[in-house]
Amino acid sequence: MKNDKILLDHGSGGKATHSLVSDLFLPAFENPILAELNDSAILDTETKRLALSTDTYVVDPLFFPGGNIGDLAINGTVNDLAMCGATPLYLSVGMIIEEGFSMAELQRILEAMKAAADKAHVLVVTGDTKVVPRGTADKVFINTSGIGFIPEGIDISGHNAHRGDKVILSGTIADHGITVLTQREGMTFQSQIQSDTAPLNHMVREMMGKSGQIHALRDPTRGGVGTSLNEIATQSGVGIKIYEDAIPIQEQVSGICELLGFDPLYIANEGKLLAFVGTDAADKILETMRANEYGMDAAIIGEVVSDSPGKVFMRTRIGGTRIVDMLTGEQLPRIC
Ligand code: MG
């Protein structure tokens, strides 16, 4: 590669753009659909029901323990598709890059994207790159969109949580948000913690294979577990009761939250899910999750109750009960 920095010319659509695409992007995501290089990717699918999702990533810093903006952007869209019971298939990647951005760092980001896509078994089939003048964007922003097919008979939706359902959380909370925050604040001295960014689609497939009683799934990203639970309570018109001492959290993460005055219930996760499942199937599904590398710390953290529709309550460690509201205000900007 001739340049070690991204130039405005790389976004011109001309020669430099073509060489950026052919030297960097095509090798990174190599597959026959992308290689066609038409204005659209052309996809053959055998299914009637498709899920489509999009998300934009502006995390600061770009690189953090456990991942970088690249794998975060792939996993995030893969997970949003999986939360609807879809099998993610194809992704698009749109990048807005600031003039002067390091070519080597772009390469590292692309490598992480490729590794994440491989792990999730999805293909990046189309994309776009824009370069904006120095100072008009911060380093790099990434949008990913994805489509997946929904198998016959699957109806997983935030509207489907039933009274009596158990609420399963797939692992420890707040790891991603606290990792990014401590990096940003230079609080890296004590930190073994790392982002939990991960593709959850294979675990979801295993869960669905075990039971037809998965009613709702959600990945508690921005706004955390507290906000996701409120979304489901509102969408399904049910009350949700959770137990503080059942919620998995790493000691170090909980310590940092305490120190900085953050409630871990509202901190972003990037490799966790909440599942609302029929009571009879809960143990079986929990066992399946625990057998997966991304669900080893899964736990039943609560249940859907008949009173107070639209509200979330938590039985605290000291035995009281408090309302868990939706996150208000922006606690941690540019966390994902
Ligand atoms: Mg989501």
Side-chain angles (χ1 to χ4, degrees), residues 109-164:
I109 290 167
L110 291 173
E111 279 161 10
M113 296 184 93
K114 170 65 173 163
D118 285 350
K119 192 149 196 190
H121 300 165
V122 296
L123 294 177
V124 172
V125 292
T126 187
D128 177 53
T129 310
K130 295 286 187 301
V131 179
V132 297
R134 205 180 289 268
T136 59
D138 189 11
K139 299 189 231 5
V140 59
F141 299 148
I142 303 178
N143 173 274
T144 51
S145 298
I147 63 174
F149 74 84
I150 302 177
E152 199 88 31
I154 294 295
D155 185 20
I156 294 174
S157 157
H159 296 271
N160 285 355
H162 300 347
R163 177 155 43 106

Side-chain angles (χ1 to χ4, degrees), residues 213-236:
Q213 285 198 64
I214 300 166
H215 300 144
L217 294 171
R218 188 133 308 174
D219 55 341
T221 52
R222 259 183 319 170
V225 166
T227 300
S228 289
L229 289 173
N230 271 278
E231 288 167 3
I232 306 273
T234 303
Q235 282 182 289
S236 293

Side-chain angles (χ1 to χ4, degrees), residues 171-232:
T172 55
I173 62 169
D175 298 337
H176 175 76
I178 291 301
T179 300
V180 171
L181 177 82
T182 50
Q183 290 295 309
R184 212 186 282 169
E185 302 299 316
M187 294 172 56
T188 49
F189 52 95
Q190 50 187 334
S191 229
Q192 300 302 313
I193 53 169
Q194 53 176 37
S195 168
D196 56 350
T197 180
L200 300 175
N201 54 322
H202 303 312
M203 183 165 73
V204 170
R205 198 194 53 235
E206 290 158 17
M207 292 162 66
M208 294 194 318
K210 223 14 135 189
S211 166
Q213 285 198 64
I214 300 166
H215 300 144
L217 294 171
R218 188 133 308 174
D219 55 341
T221 52
R222 259 183 319 170
V225 166
T227 300
S228 289
L229 289 173
N230 271 278
E231 288 167 3
I232 306 273

Side-chain angles (χ1 to χ4, degrees), residues 272-290:
K272 298 292 151 48
L273 64 81
L274 287 159
F276 290 70
V277 306
T279 316
D280 301 342
D283 288 335
K284 210 163 52 178
I285 293 170
L286 183 64
E287 195 184 308
T288 305
M289 292 169 74
R290 284 182 173 163

Side-chain angles (χ1 to χ4, degrees), residues 315-329:
R315 171 54 61 109
T316 63
R317 221 169 262 121
I318 53 167
T321 299
R322 74 165 169 99
I323 286 187
V324 176
D325 214 340
M326 241 187 220
L327 173 66
T328 48

Side-chain angles (χ1 to χ4, degrees), residues 19-31 34 107 114:
S19 71
L20 183 69
V21 168
S22 58
D23 295 350
L24 224 55
F25 287 89
L26 291 184
F29 299 125
E30 194 181 357
N31 66 72
L34 180 65
Q107 180 116 40
K114 170 65 173 163

